[in-house]
Amino acid sequence: MLTQTEISKIEHELQQVPVRKAAVIEALKIVQEQRRWVSDENVEDIAALLGMSADEVDSVATFYNLIFRQPVGRHVILVCDSISCWVMGYENIRKTLMELLQIKYGQTTPDGRFTLLPNPCLGTCDHAPALMVDQDLYRDLNEKNIGEILDKYE
């Protein structure tokens, strides 16, 4: 069930768009901001509020790679796997992260601290390889600075 805060924020977004369905992405972002991910129940609640089917809302949620449809850790690491990052050392960054965290893509560390995900582009090709932890962008990476980056996050 959506909270009153979530409903209020979604209703505010509804005032910005010409039709209710146009607020679906913002509604998903609002729920995820509060809960860290969007459950099936949340999809159904958003659908009811916007006059859409749950399948329509889910198709939008699963299209956007920054809407998480399963629980994630306290910190989400997005590793850019674009061609620029591949050329500039992506494979070493990926390997180092997986070794340090002892997880693979799509997994969360047992302590719930990190979830590791690939990302098709972080828009910083001139400073590849790159990754994001939550909203923090790290560029010009090498295997040596990955541990320092991870240490910043509890």
Side-chain angles (χ1 to χ4, degrees):
M1 179 170 247
L2 297 177
T3 66
Q4 189 55 50
T5 300
E6 291 165 336
I7 293 169
S8 295
K9 287 181 177 185
I10 293 169
E11 286 177 349
H12 173 76
E13 291 301 322
L14 289 171
Q15 296 172 7
Q16 313 301 316
V17 295
V19 294
R20 296 181 76 77
K21 291 180 179 186
V24 68
I25 294 171
E26 289 306 315
L28 290 162
K29 288 168 48 178
I30 288 165
V31 170
Q32 181 168 289
E33 180 181 291
Q34 301 295 312
R35 302 167 188 243
R36 307 245 342 113
W37 69 293
V38 181
S39 70
D40 290 343
E41 179 185 351
N42 299 146
V43 166
E44 292 171 10
D45 293 341
I46 291 169
L49 187 61
L50 299 181
M52 300 172 69
S53 72
D55 286 340
E56 288 174 311
V57 174
D58 185 57
S59 70
V60 173
T62 55
F63 177 79
Y64 290 97
N65 67 333
L66 296 180
I67 299 295
F68 307 126
R69 290 287 283 123
Q70 57 185 343
V72 294
R74 291 187 308 277
H75 305 287
V76 177
I77 302 171
L78 301 173
V79 183
C80 184
D81 63 1
S82 71
I83 188 66
S84 296
C85 286
W86 269 94
V87 169
M88 297 303 293
Y90 156 86
E91 191 60 39
N92 292 332
I93 301 305
R94 181 195 61 79
K95 182 180 175 187
T96 300
L97 278 165
M98 289 182 178
E99 287 173 0
L100 289 172
L101 299 173
Q102 294 294 296
I103 58 174
K104 296 178 182 175
Y105 278 147
Q107 296 179 333
T108 300
T109 55
D111 63 1
R113 186 172 165 207
F114 293 109
T115 297
L116 184 62
L117 299 170
N119 191 279
C121 184
L122 293 176
T124 185
C125 296
D126 57 330
H127 290 281
L131 64 77
M132 282 185 79
V133 180
D134 303 329
Q135 300 301 313
D136 302 327
L137 178 64
Y138 296 94
R139 309 173 335 157
D140 300 311
L141 297 172
N142 61 59
E143 305 86 67
K144 296 173 186 146
N145 59 10
I146 298 297
E148 294 171 15
I149 292 168
L150 296 179
D151 289 342
K152 295 178 184 180
Y153 300 89
E154 290 299 319

